[in-house]
Amino acid sequence: MATCLLAGLGGTEIQQTTLHPLVGRVFVYTLDHDAFLQLPEHVAVPVTYHAHLQGHPDLPRWLRYTQRSPHHPGFLYGTATPEDRGHQVIEVTAYNRDSFDTTRQRLVLLIADPEGPLLPYQAEFLVRSHDVEEVLPSTPASLFLTALGGLWEPGDLQLINITSALDRGGRVPLPIEGRKEGVYIKVGSASPFSTCLKMVASPDSQARCAQGQPPLLSCYDTLAPHFRVDWCNVSLATARDFLTDALVTLLVPLLVALLLTLLLAYVMCCRREGRLKRDLATSDIQMVHHCTIRGNTEELRQMAASREVPRPLSTLPMFNVRTGERLPPQVDNAQVPLILDQH
């Protein structure tokens, strides 16, 4: 039986699909039962999926997989970063829970930079009326961008990221009808934020939210009633140019070090009195004394280095002319201890 199963798996042809995710843009790929397993129409079978990076047990860090139940399609979604740029291969295996058949598919991801202007203005919204699987398809996502256009300055809005509220520390809702997990949707644009969005994210609105009051909203909520947005959890971000910060961080210490070096060089080189000025400021008598002492010191050093003086007589043994006996030199009795050492 194992041999037949291995033979069946070995003869299965792996489907391959090439996709083109963009850096900084949300990527969504739907794992549809009918298209994946090539099932006949109006045939519903429970199917689960397992996806991983080729040669690795898990998906890359920027890619996520979700599926509500075996009767719902699965989704691969995420936002690639500049570090993920290049070529990645995702292997997906589908399991038919009725017949236990397996089908494999290989997704070739060619991650590249997007074309067009940058999106320096980014806003993130917490939509409490939806789960992440409900906004991943293209239709709800396009509807959200269209509704958001009424609150933003005219411009090309792009989806940057979609994240489940559970991945941000949210709680699983009670199994009550109408309760959703919630989803964070980040949108970017080249146009500045509108006055309405700035007011929602202002400190005054955040203070009202902290007191349990609704935030300040000076415009009509065009996202309602299709999307129930938690306006107390709206965050606005503007892309910063770190070149200026880097230059300030590097140039200011270098400039201070250069100034200190110049100041030290001025003190050491330009502020020295010099020997001539020192001699002129010193009295003649003091200079004569100094030169005399120095000259005498040098003369004594020369004499001490070249002297050949015989040993003093007091250090030589005494010689008796009559007996020829040599006696040790006389010792001062005053310096002899009263009690001699006993050997």
Side-chain angles (χ1 to χ4, degrees):
M1 180 177 179
T3 305
C4 296
L5 180 59
L6 291 176
L9 291 175
T12 303
E13 182 180 357
I14 301 178
Q15 305 175 13
Q16 181 168 314
T17 305
T18 302
L19 304 173
H20 300 272
L22 299 178
V23 175
R25 303 291 189 274
V26 66
F27 166 77
V28 179
Y29 182 74
T30 304
L31 302 176
D32 187 72
H33 299 355
D34 299 337
F36 203 95
L37 301 178
Q38 298 180 356
L39 299 174
E41 296 183 358
H42 308 293
V43 176
V45 294
V47 179
T48 57
Y49 302 91
H50 175 72
H52 63 91
L53 182 64
Q54 189 179 41
H56 297 78
D58 300 322
L59 289 170
R61 59 181 180 179
W62 67 273
L63 198 59
R64 296 177 180 272
Y65 164 75
T66 184
Q67 185 182 14
R68 179 59 56 179
S69 70
H71 296 280
H72 292 82
F75 295 95
L76 291 173
Y77 69 100
T79 303
T81 62
E83 291 77 11
D84 303 315
R85 189 186 297 109
H87 175 271
Q88 294 182 355
V89 178
I90 305 299
E91 294 182 350
V92 184
T93 303
Y95 300 92
N96 189 329
R97 293 303 179 180
D98 286 345
S99 62
F100 301 100
D101 293 336
T102 59
T103 304
R104 298 178 61 189
Q105 186 177 17
R106 183 179 294 114
L107 305 178
V108 180
L109 306 182
L110 303 179
I111 306 173
D113 294 325
E115 298 179 355
L118 300 177
L119 307 177
Y121 300 96
Q122 301 177 6
E124 190 174 53
F125 304 89
L126 174 57
V127 181
R128 296 193 177 276
S129 58
H130 290 69
D131 293 331
V132 64
E133 300 89 355
E134 297 175 346
V135 297
L136 289 176
S138 57
T139 301
S142 300
L143 180 61
F144 182 83
L145 293 179
T146 302
L148 184 60
L151 301 176
W152 207 320
E153 297 291 339
D156 185 17
L157 301 179
Q158 297 285 341
L159 283 176
I160 295 180
N161 194 17
I162 297 177
T163 308
S164 174
L166 299 181
D167 297 333
R168 298 285 191 88
R171 296 182 179 180
V172 179
L174 297 175
I176 303 176
E177 185 178 359
R179 296 289 184 91
K180 300 291 183 178
E181 297 174 355
V183 57
Y184 285 92
I185 302 178
K186 180 179 286 188
V187 182
S189 176
S191 302
F193 300 119
S194 63
T195 306
C196 179
L197 292 179
K198 292 180 181 179
M199 182 175 295
V200 170
S202 64
D204 295 338
S205 294
Q206 299 300 324
R208 290 173 59 90
C209 291
Q211 298 176 359
Q213 301 178 4
L216 300 175
L217 189 62
S218 61
C219 54
Y220 177 71
D221 186 3
T222 57
L223 294 171
H226 302 288
F227 300 94
R228 183 167 56 87
V229 176
D230 186 356
W231 292 106
C232 288
N233 284 277
V234 175
S235 60
L236 306 181
T238 304
R240 294 180 55 186
D241 185 9
F242 293 97
L243 178 60
T244 304
D245 298 340
L247 291 178
V248 171
T249 304
L250 295 177
L251 292 181
V252 170
L254 291 178
L255 183 60
V256 172
L258 180 60
L259 292 177
L260 292 178
T261 303
L262 295 177
L263 180 61
L264 182 61
Y266 173 75
V267 173
M268 296 294 295
C269 301
C270 301
R271 296 290 296 177
R272 295 186 63 181
E273 296 181 352
R275 184 175 180 180
L276 179 61
K277 185 177 181 180
R278 182 195 62 186
D279 295 343
L280 295 176
T282 306
S283 63
D284 296 339
I285 298 178
Q286 186 177 357
M287 291 296 297
V288 171
H289 289 175
H290 174 74
C291 294
T292 303
I293 295 174
R294 185 174 180 181
N296 296 337
T297 302
E298 293 295 333
E299 184 178 1
L300 291 175
R301 288 179 178 176
Q302 294 177 2
M303 294 174 61
S306 61
R307 67 181 179 180
E308 296 180 358
V309 181
R311 294 177 59 183
L313 297 177
S314 60
T315 62
L316 297 176
M318 298 179 63
F319 178 75
N320 193 332
V321 180
R322 296 180 180 179
T323 61
E325 182 182 2
R326 293 180 177 272
L327 299 176
Q330 295 181 358
V331 182
D332 188 4
N333 295 329
Q335 297 181 359
V336 177
L338 298 178
I339 302 177
L340 299 177
D341 295 338
Q342 298 179 3
H343 300 283

